[in-house]
Amino acid sequence: MTTDTAMTALRIEPFRIDVPRADLDDLRARLATTRWPDELPGVGWSHGVPVSYVRRLAEYWRTGYDWRAWEARLNRHPQYVTDIAGQRVHFLHVRSPEPDALPLVLVHGWGATFAEFLDVIGPLTDPRAHGGDPADAFHVVVPSPPGFAFSGPTRQAGQADSDRYAEVIAALMAGLGYERYGTQGGDLGALVAPQLGRIDTDHVVGVHVNGLLTFGGWDLDPSTLDEADRQRWEKAQGFEEIGGYAGIQSTRPQSLAVGLHDSPAGLLAWLADIYHLFSNPAIESPDDAVGRDALLTHASIYWFTETLASSIRIYKESSQWGAAPESSGVPTGCSLYPGDTTIRAIAEQQHNVVYWAEFGDGGHFAAMEAPETFVGDVREFFRRVR
């Protein structure tokens, strides 16, 4: 299936982040007056995020974290906003100095924001300046999907759907004048990137994903799998033990959102638990896995843009959850980082997998946890399809 992404006129306006001082003061005041619950001794992370841990993190957010410094860092990259079918869309658009660079759209996952790719934009757009081969250069586009960050909340039911996100991104790439482009995504992006291949097949030259979700194969006979796939299949069977957050977000997102929208400490606890669950399993502390300030930057963006509620609607509204997808035929690369449970036998049935890689460093949030490995991996795959 191919959608018409012929050049579409978009009204694109430059954008800079400038959070009002009153919002910063309000955040710090709310953190200062948090009513903390008790916690059981000796249970660690088994009951969720330890109160003692998130309390220390919240105190640093209030007194030590420098939002203005991170705001300035984010603003060093060209940002824009546009309107696509009535939906405000925010995106970074960083062009490479290399004239033959391949356009590449990076799609982040839930729990993160466009800031997930801060450490990889430079090496991807300007490999020459980072000790790489200029032939590997990309023009990088990083959209905030509808309902995330500065794309603002969704306004109608059905807009928070991974299929819808793909349609918006395809329209964005067409509006930017890109007739050939690649796409990369993890987590939610591992749904959106392959969907771009299905609906924009004539323009997408390659799809690269990390943490690909292999739906539709849960009833398979594990005895037919090789040892590596069998181990990942067994690990995936335990998802219910860690997937409580998804159960809530897919059934009662609005009920959950009231508390997380009102309490920055509650929002921080929820996100910290997600990062603990899905970042490198060998590293217990989320701020050690992804960086304390990076974690707080994501939390701050969710807080200041008031988009936690709309971001989690994807779990309620996405039509792809649990569905076995059809292959787009577009060359696809799958990469696994520690903790990922992608089953190769299923992935190869559902996608045109031409590249497979497994890494011992990093984790689910690969671009943050192992940026050098991530950059090398993306370069290696797209050499096959440029």
Side-chain angles (χ1 to χ4, degrees):
M1 177 180 180
T2 302
T3 189
D4 181 9
T5 54
M7 181 63 178
T8 303
L10 293 179
R11 181 178 179 180
I12 296 173
E13 300 178 355
F15 177 82
R16 284 181 63 82
I17 306 169
D18 186 14
V19 172
R21 174 60 184 270
D23 289 357
L24 290 169
D25 292 342
D26 176 68
L27 170 61
R28 292 175 181 135
R30 288 172 182 262
L31 289 168
T33 57
T34 300
R35 188 173 72 166
W36 296 101
D38 69 331
E39 62 180 331
L40 296 171
V43 299
W45 288 83
S46 64
H47 287 214
V49 61
V51 175
S52 54
Y53 169 80
V54 74
R55 190 167 187 168
R56 290 193 300 272
L57 196 58
E59 181 61 14
Y60 174 73
W61 196 11
R62 186 178 74 87
T63 63
Y65 171 76
D66 188 348
W67 164 256
R68 290 302 186 201
W70 279 84
E71 185 179 70
R73 184 182 176 193
L74 292 166
N75 281 332
R76 284 199 289 269
H77 296 297
Q79 298 176 65
Y80 305 89
V81 290
T82 190
D83 182 281
I84 297 176
Q87 173 66 52
R88 173 184 167 97
V89 178
H90 160 264
F91 61 99
L92 276 63
H93 186 196
V94 187
R95 287 188 59 83
S96 172
E98 306 296 339
D100 295 328
L102 175 70
L104 176 67
V105 59
L106 302 174
V107 188
H108 68 78
W110 183 79
T113 66
F114 64 97
E116 179 173 355
F117 299 109
L118 279 182
D119 291 334
V120 302
I121 290 174
L124 289 175
T125 57
D126 193 2
R128 188 191 302 267
H130 292 81
D133 185 344
D136 288 326
F138 299 93
H139 301 305
V140 169
V141 178
V142 185
S144 296
F148 284 77
F150 298 98
S151 287
T154 52
R155 301 297 185 185
Q156 297 178 3
Q159 291 181 326
D161 183 351
S162 54
D163 287 0
R164 172 61 179 153
Y165 293 169
E167 293 168 2
V168 167
I169 293 172
L172 174 63
M173 297 303 281
L176 293 173
Y178 290 138
E179 296 191 1
R180 294 181 73 252
Y181 67 94
T183 182
Q184 197 287 327
D187 191 82
L188 166 61
L191 295 178
V192 177
Q195 182 65 6
L196 275 166
R198 295 183 195 101
I199 68 168
D200 206 13
T201 311
D202 292 343
H203 302 94
V204 176
V205 300
V207 174
H208 181 275
V209 292
N210 59 283
L212 178 69
L213 296 170
T214 41
F215 290 131
W218 305 119
D219 57 349
L220 59 75
D221 180 357
S223 67
T224 64
L225 302 175
D226 64 24
E227 181 61 25
D229 265 356
R230 186 159 54 249
Q231 289 181 7
R232 288 189 285 264
W233 183 86
E234 290 173 353
K235 183 175 181 179
Q237 306 315 299
F239 181 77
E240 291 182 1
E241 297 180 10
I242 63 172
Y245 84 96
I248 294 173
Q249 292 181 176
S250 62
T251 56
R252 292 294 183 269
Q254 197 64 50
S255 301
L256 174 67
V258 172
L260 303 189
H261 186 87
D262 184 64
S263 169
L267 170 64
L268 181 59
W270 197 250
L271 290 179
D273 199 32
I274 295 300
Y275 280 86
H276 173 257
L277 288 171
F278 293 106
S279 57
N280 191 327
I283 302 176
E284 182 175 69
S285 174
D287 50 304
D288 287 336
V290 302
R292 180 171 60 173
D293 279 23
L295 173 57
L296 290 173
T297 297
H298 294 302
S300 296
I301 292 171
Y302 278 105
W303 180 259
F304 291 135
T305 60
E306 300 186 29
T307 52
L308 187 282
S310 58
S311 75
I312 63 176
R313 290 176 190 146
I314 179 68
Y315 287 80
K316 178 71 172 177
E317 297 188 2
S318 180
S319 58
Q320 286 200 48
W321 295 123
E326 295 182 3
S327 175
S328 66
V330 174
T332 299
C334 292
S335 295
L336 276 68
Y337 290 81
D340 288 337
T341 57
T342 304
I343 299 171
R344 184 169 186 170
I346 301 175
E348 290 178 341
Q349 290 176 0
Q350 299 175 349
H351 305 272
N352 178 21
V353 177
V354 300
Y355 172 84
W356 184 273
E358 300 180 25
F359 300 99
D361 60 335
H364 190 72
F365 302 96
M368 287 191 291
E369 296 183 67
E372 291 184 5
T373 301
F374 177 88
V375 168
D377 184 35
V378 171
R379 289 172 176 170
E380 180 64 28
F381 168 69
F382 280 102
R383 287 173 189 148
R384 291 161 164 75
V385 299
R386 283 178 178 268

